[in-house]
Amino acid sequence: MSLKKIKSLLNKNDFDFYYLECVDSTMSEIKKYNFKKNICLMANQQTKGFGRRGTTWESPKGNIYISILFKSIVDIQNHFINNAFTTNIICNVLEKVCNVKTEIKWPNDILINDKKISGIITEIYNNNNVNFINTGFGINVMTSPNLDNYLTTNINAYQKEINNFSFAFELMEEYFKNFHILISHSESILEMYKSRLKYLGSQIKLKINDNLFKEGILFDLNNDGSIILKSESTSETIYNARIIK
């Protein structure tokens, strides 16, 4: 699979496509381009990749690092629907290629057999009073980073006859084949997301910050991406935390 085929696919769907061998971060690099066009930026390596809450995202060569930037087609308060849509697409293609079940660990990790294979991050920008949404994701294809207290895996552990370019093409094909679902703000997006949500209905422990932890049942996922944490006496909406069950 060549980069030309990926570029052709993106161009047919009104997106400019750029490939760079190495960047600090695709999320930062993509902001250097013209905000008047839809853009997809792919890199082979990141030197300063980051995840939610500013955590370091190890980004060695041979994996997928992509950011997609376009004019927001949903209200800002509902931007999580874009995150959920992208997560669903990645899960769909991983399950097809690797012939395995995926799970989503709130708020933004995709797991196979309890090991992280992908992560997603979304940012909102305002440029000349127009809102743009920037969705970045990394997918372990050839290698898996070594993370303290967090198991990881990669696509080649399940399917060796695929590389980052061929997987990226399949991913973007699936993305645009289903893009109409995002445009229509379909409820099926959140339904599909919740069907894969790990720990839904189960007891969890959350790390809010270094000094604050909370426990309860992951009762539900709200439309804005927050979760409802229930205990015997309280029900609380949590917007930002990490599950450490």
Side-chain angles (χ1 to χ4, degrees):
M1 181 60 61
S2 69
L3 286 170
K4 287 184 178 179
K5 289 188 176 181
I6 300 175
K7 181 179 177 65
S8 176
L9 173 65
L10 269 293
N11 292 164
K12 287 179 182 178
N13 288 279
D14 199 29
F15 273 74
D16 284 352
F17 175 72
Y18 300 94
Y19 174 80
L20 297 173
E21 188 62 29
C22 184
V23 297
D24 286 351
S25 162
T26 60
M27 293 292 284
S28 301
E29 186 71 24
I30 201 168
K31 289 184 285 186
K32 299 177 182 178
Y33 292 83
N34 190 337
F35 274 71
K36 293 181 181 180
K37 294 184 178 181
N38 302 323
I39 302 169
C40 176
L41 173 66
M42 178 178 176
N44 190 37
Q45 183 182 17
Q46 295 182 129
T47 58
K48 296 179 181 178
F50 60 90
R52 190 179 171 107
R53 305 172 81 179
T55 55
T56 300
W57 191 328
E58 290 192 32
S59 311
K61 291 182 179 180
N63 295 334
I64 287 176
Y65 312 106
I66 287 178
S67 285
I68 301 173
L69 177 71
F70 57 87
K71 182 178 178 181
S72 181
I73 56 178
V74 297
D75 295 334
I76 292 303
Q77 61 267 29
N78 296 323
H79 73 84
F80 175 74
I81 198 73
N82 178 79
N83 183 297
F85 172 78
T86 306
T87 302
N88 290 342
I89 295 300
I90 295 172
C91 287
N92 289 347
V93 180
L94 282 171
E95 291 180 358
K96 174 185 174 183
V97 169
C98 299
N99 193 29
V100 292
K101 178 183 177 183
T102 59
E103 291 182 300
I104 300 166
K105 184 180 178 184
W106 185 85
N108 63 338
D109 289 348
I110 297 175
L111 310 179
I112 293 178
N113 295 325
D114 291 323
K115 298 177 181 179
K116 180 176 178 177
I117 194 167
S118 178
I120 300 97
I121 184 172
T122 300
E123 294 180 342
I124 303 296
Y125 305 117
N126 185 282
N127 187 60
N128 293 325
N129 295 318
V130 178
N131 290 319
F132 290 81
I133 190 160
N134 183 14
T135 304
F137 51 88
I139 305 171
N140 299 334
V141 180
M142 306 294 290
T143 61
S144 311
N146 294 317
L147 304 177
D148 292 337
N149 302 317
Y150 212 130
L151 297 175
T152 62
T153 189
N154 57 72
I155 291 172
N156 278 186
Y158 301 90
Q159 171 56 268
K160 296 188 180 299
E161 296 181 3
I162 197 164
N163 59 31
N164 53 349
F165 298 140
S166 55
F167 188 87
F169 182 83
E170 288 201 39
L171 183 68
M172 299 316 298
E173 262 196 327
E174 182 78 3
Y175 185 90
F176 288 114
K177 184 174 73 174
N178 292 280
F179 198 69
H180 66 280
I181 300 176
L182 178 61
I183 293 173
S184 66
H185 309 166
S186 173
E187 293 182 1
S188 65
I189 295 174
L190 287 180
E191 291 172 0
M192 179 62 70
Y193 185 95
K194 287 199 282 188
S195 74
R196 292 185 172 112
L197 188 58
K198 190 175 180 66
Y199 303 126
L200 183 61
S202 299
Q203 184 80 13
I204 60 172
K205 183 176 182 179
L206 293 173
K207 180 179 180 180
I208 309 298
N209 56 48
D210 288 341
N211 301 309
L212 180 60
F213 299 83
K214 295 187 177 184
E215 295 188 46
I217 293 175
L218 201 173
F219 182 74
D220 202 0
L221 177 83
N222 294 315
N223 290 347
D224 62 2
S226 61
I227 58 171
I228 298 174
L229 186 71
K230 276 199 171 185
S231 63
E232 291 184 0
S233 58
T234 63
S235 178
E236 184 178 1
T237 298
I238 304 293
Y239 293 93
N240 197 359
R242 183 165 67 91
I243 297 175
I244 58 171
K245 180 178 179 179

